[in-house]
Structure formats: structure tokens, C-alpha cells
Amino acid sequence: MITDTTQTMGKTAPYSKRWSALFLLCAAEFIVIMDTSIIGVALPAIKADLGYSQSGLQWIFNAYVILFGGFLLLGGRLSDLFGARKIFMWGFGILSAASLLAGVAWSEAALNTGRALQGLGSAFIAPAALTLVLSKFTDPKELNKALGFWGASAAAGGSAGVFLGGAITEWLSWHWVFLINIPIGIAVLFFSKNLLFKGSTQKGKVDITGAIFATAALILAVYAIVSAEGAGWKSLQTIGLLALSILLLIIFLMIQKQKKEPLVPLSIFKVPNLSPGNLVMALLAAAWIPLWFFLNLYLQQTLHYSAFNSGLALLPMTIAIMLLMVGVTGKLVTKFGFKTNLIAGLMALTASLLLFSMIPPDGTFLVNVLPASLLGALGMSLAYIPGTIASMSGSKPEETGLASGLVNTSYQVGSALGLAIVVAISAAKTNALKITGATDTTALNEGFQTAFLSAAVVSAIAVILAAFSIKSLK
């Protein structure tokens, strides 16, 4: 485990500002995750103002996700080489400038560029921030509590983005969905030098060639995934892009074997739990993101909630995740270990998705939404932090930036891949039923049911993988 210490009278002492630093870092994680969801309810207003086509709207989201997922590995490596605080601040500088561009955007190209640059900034922030969290706490109990706050801020950012996006768009304008990041970013940069310990750096060079191939492979893969719904999973575009991505990945691995200072030392994959832990995190995201996405659609399109009321309906789940991660998960990890909690959480998430797979078109919030959503909150709370710990449990101090980059990359790629596949399966089910003469409401609802069932299968696979591949390290 990494320790972050200051020299006091010749002895090492725990970093005295660690809890204040944690608050700052959790705020940063909240913003990074919120930026993936806050624009959802603002899309109709953006479409009306900037003239987007219906299909073109997806790129407001995709531009962010593609660069976020594509540059996470590079961001993690840079934080190891140049110091996590420096990369964290670089990331927030980029994010703040990009938010200004997106907030004053005068065209589709300007907004998409701003969103892409927001993703780039977030790709530097996310791995550096997690490294800083790990470096601030030397006591295992404190670390588990700190990671609980960290996980709660991530979960809250995803759900709060829907609620805040609706409120800001309704009461101000869609521009403030992006501009709100600027004062927050300035405040984060102002407090970073005082609260964030500078930390260690490494001597070495950035593997530029490896970075180019790795980033290009990830960007092409994520682009192929998020555009597959429109182009078709069997289209030449999707298959060609995925094949090219695999080819670039193979070239990248060959480069890493030859480099003295590679972007990703392949020896890191020998670290216990890193490979299975990252796969579990990818599957967790591939199950959780469709749950949140389709629950929001069910509330608005089947139960006919407004965007604002849909955000309110998601608040109990958000609050439950925050309370559980902060007050319960850390204690359970300390008592039972990360593997037991990870498996229990994934099982609870699977059960929640199975309940949602039976939602009727005339369902009610209290009967059909609230119980299953709270069970899903329990599952996410028990699984997210233990999954992160498992993925990084065997890494050395000098590898934490890279390891955190890998975890974040796995989660983001899992999110994109899982959502794209489940959306395709749901749409196919709905279209098939419409062809047979089913009503729009019936076809749409059964498509949602199929989506939740598909996500439940993914979550169940994660349970099996965690049970048989994750080791309980002492």
C-alpha cells in the first residue's frame, strides 16, 4: 500500500490534511462522473438551439466517452512519471477550458469539440485522483472509509447528473450544464496546491509510440461500440473498426515487449487479481450502467414522468448508495474482506436486475421501482469499492497510477460496450414485437424487460468470475 507522509522531526507522520484533501478529490470524481450524465435531459434544448439531427445528438455523449476511455491509460502513466497532483491539476485546467468552450458553443462542431476535450481532461483527472486517494491514507480502516466516500461520490455523480441537468436546463439554460464546471474547476485548482501533497515522481520517459497505439486502439474500439447501434453490429464499419482496434492493440503489446520504459509494463498483469479484477469491474459497469439508463427511460417513457420527476425518483437510490458506501461498505470490507463483499454485491445487483426484468407497463414507483432500485443500490455499494481494491490490491507504489488507469479504463470501456449491446438487444426486441402487431407501449416495455434481463446475465457472469478468479490477499 502506498503511504503519503510528511517529514516531521525526522520521522514520517500521516498527512495531516488528508480528510480535507479527500473532500476535494471526491468533488473532482463527482464532477467527472456527473459530466457523463448531466447532458441527458438537456438534449432537446440543445437540439433546438444548435440544429442537431436526432441521430447526431448521441455524439454529445460519445465525444466525451471516446476521449475519456481512450486517454485513461496515458493519464495513469503520466501521473506515475510526473506526480499525481500535477496531472490532476493539468486535467482540471483542460476540463475547465473545455467546459467554457462547450458552454458558449455556437455550432455542433464547437460543442462536440468541447465535449471531447472535457473527456481528455477527465482522463487525466480520474487515475490521478484515485492515486492521490490511495496515497493519503496509511491505516487500512481509514483507507476503506476513504474509498467509501470516493465510491459514493462517483455513484452520486452519475445519478445527480440527471437531477441537476433537469433543474439547470429548466431554471437557467442548457449552457449552464457545462458552465457550472468552471467555478468548481477554479476552486479545485486553487485548493489543490495547499491540500494535495506533491507526492513522488519517477525518472523515465513517456512511451510516445506506445501511447499513440494504445490510445488509438481504445478510441477506435469505443467509437466502434458507441456507433454500432446506428451503423449495425454486422456492418463493415463496425467490424472493420474493431478489427483495426485489435490490430493496433497487438502492435502496442509488441512495442511494450521491446521498450525499456513502456507505457504499460506487461509485468503488471502478473500482479495478483489485476486481470480478473479489471474484468469484473468491466462487467460491473456493463450491468450497472444499463440499469440506470433503462430505469430512467422506463420512468419517462412508460410511466410518463417528467425529466425532473425522473431525477427525483432516482434520488432514493443515490442517497442509499452514498450512505452505504460511506457508513457500511468500509466496515464490511475490514471485517469480511473485499472478495466476500464483491460477490455479495454482484449477487444483489443481479437480483435487482431480475426484479426489473419483470416490470409491468402499468407499474408504480412504490411497488415496481423503489424496492428493486434500493436492492441495486445495495449491490453497487457492496461491489464497487471491493472491485477497485481487488484490482489494485497487489500493485506496487510506483504502479498505482497505471493500475488506477487500468481500473478506470476497464470500467469506462465496460460501460460503453455493455450499454451499446444491451441497447441493441432491447431495440431488436421492441422492433420484433411491433412487426407482430404489438402496441407501442407493450413493445417498448418488453424491450426494457429484455434489457434488464440481459444486464442480469452480465452481472451473474461477474459473480462467477469473482468467485473463482479473485484471490483473498492478506
Side-chain angles (χ1 to χ4, degrees), residues 374-396:
L374 291 179
L375 183 58
L378 174 63
M380 186 60 172
S381 301
L382 291 177
Y384 184 83
I385 295 302
T388 302
I389 294 173
S391 300
M392 303 183 65
S393 57
S395 60
K396 299 176 183 178

Side-chain angles (χ1 to χ4, degrees), residues 124-458:
F124 287 172
I125 293 169
L130 182 54
T131 298
L132 287 165
V133 171
L134 293 171
S135 71
K136 296 289 173 281
F137 298 90
T138 60
D139 180 81
K141 290 184 179 180
E142 281 196 349
L143 177 59
N144 288 336
K145 186 176 182 180
L147 287 173
F149 280 107
W150 173 262
S153 65
S159 298
V162 178
F163 175 75
L164 292 175
I168 291 172
T169 302
E170 184 173 336
W171 296 334
L172 295 173
S173 74
W174 67 262
H175 299 276
W176 282 97
V177 167
F178 306 108
L179 295 176
I180 192 176
N181 285 337
I182 298 173
I184 298 173
I186 292 172
V188 168
L189 289 171
F190 178 79
F191 288 108
S192 290
K193 283 193 174 182
N194 184 43
L195 294 179
L196 301 181
F197 186 71
K198 188 174 182 181
S200 61
T201 59
Q202 298 177 25
K203 292 183 179 180
K205 299 178 180 178
V206 178
D207 176 12
I208 299 296
T209 306
I212 291 173
F213 278 93
T215 302
L218 287 170
I219 287 176
L220 285 175
V222 177
Y223 178 85
I225 291 165
V226 298
S227 63
E229 182 183 0
W233 282 97
K234 297 180 180 180
S235 67
L236 180 61
Q237 173 184 310
T238 302
I239 295 174
L241 287 174
L242 288 175
L244 181 56
S245 174
I246 293 172
L247 176 60
L248 292 177
L249 180 60
I250 293 173
I251 296 174
F252 165 72
L253 293 175
M254 294 172 63
I255 293 172
Q256 300 310 285
K257 286 184 178 181
Q258 298 174 356
K259 284 278 187 178
K260 292 182 178 180
E261 297 180 15
L263 177 67
V264 181
L266 299 184
S267 59
I268 197 172
F269 292 103
K270 297 179 182 178
V271 172
N273 289 336
L274 186 137
S275 295
N278 274 268
L279 184 53
V280 167
M281 288 298 287
L283 293 172
L284 172 63
W288 172 255
I289 298 301
L291 184 156
W292 169 83
F293 181 84
F294 281 97
L295 178 56
N296 192 37
L297 290 181
Y298 174 74
L299 290 169
Q300 292 192 51
Q301 296 183 0
T302 300
L303 300 187
H304 304 294
Y305 282 30
S306 67
F308 183 77
N309 288 336
S310 178
L312 285 177
L314 293 173
L315 277 182
M317 182 169 64
T318 301
I319 294 171
I321 290 174
M322 294 176 65
L323 293 177
L324 288 168
M325 282 192 175
V326 172
V328 178
T329 303
K331 295 178 181 178
L332 291 176
V333 171
T334 300
K335 186 173 183 179
F336 299 107
F338 57 76
K339 179 175 180 177
T340 300
N341 284 275
L342 176 59
I343 294 172
L346 290 169
M347 291 177 67
L349 179 60
T350 303
S352 169
L353 287 161
L354 288 173
L355 287 175
F356 277 127
S357 71
M358 297 180 283
I359 50 172
D362 57 349
T364 64
F365 172 75
L366 289 177
V367 174
N368 304 106
V369 175
L370 183 61
S373 66
L374 291 179
L375 183 58
L378 174 63
M380 186 60 172
S381 301
L382 291 177
Y384 184 83
I385 295 302
T388 302
I389 294 173
S391 300
M392 303 183 65
S393 57
S395 60
K396 299 176 183 178
E398 64 272 16
E399 297 172 334
T400 52
L402 176 58
S404 62
L406 286 169
V407 173
N408 278 283
T409 301
S410 298
Y411 192 85
Q412 292 302 320
V413 173
S415 300
L417 179 59
L419 184 59
I421 292 175
V422 173
V423 164
I425 293 173
S426 175
K429 178 68 174 181
T430 297
N431 292 334
L433 287 172
K434 286 182 178 180
I435 292 174
T436 63
T439 64
D440 288 346
T441 299
T442 299
L444 191 63
N445 193 74
E446 289 201 26
F448 293 159
Q449 291 177 336
T450 302
F452 288 124
L453 182 60
S454 301
V457 172
V458 173

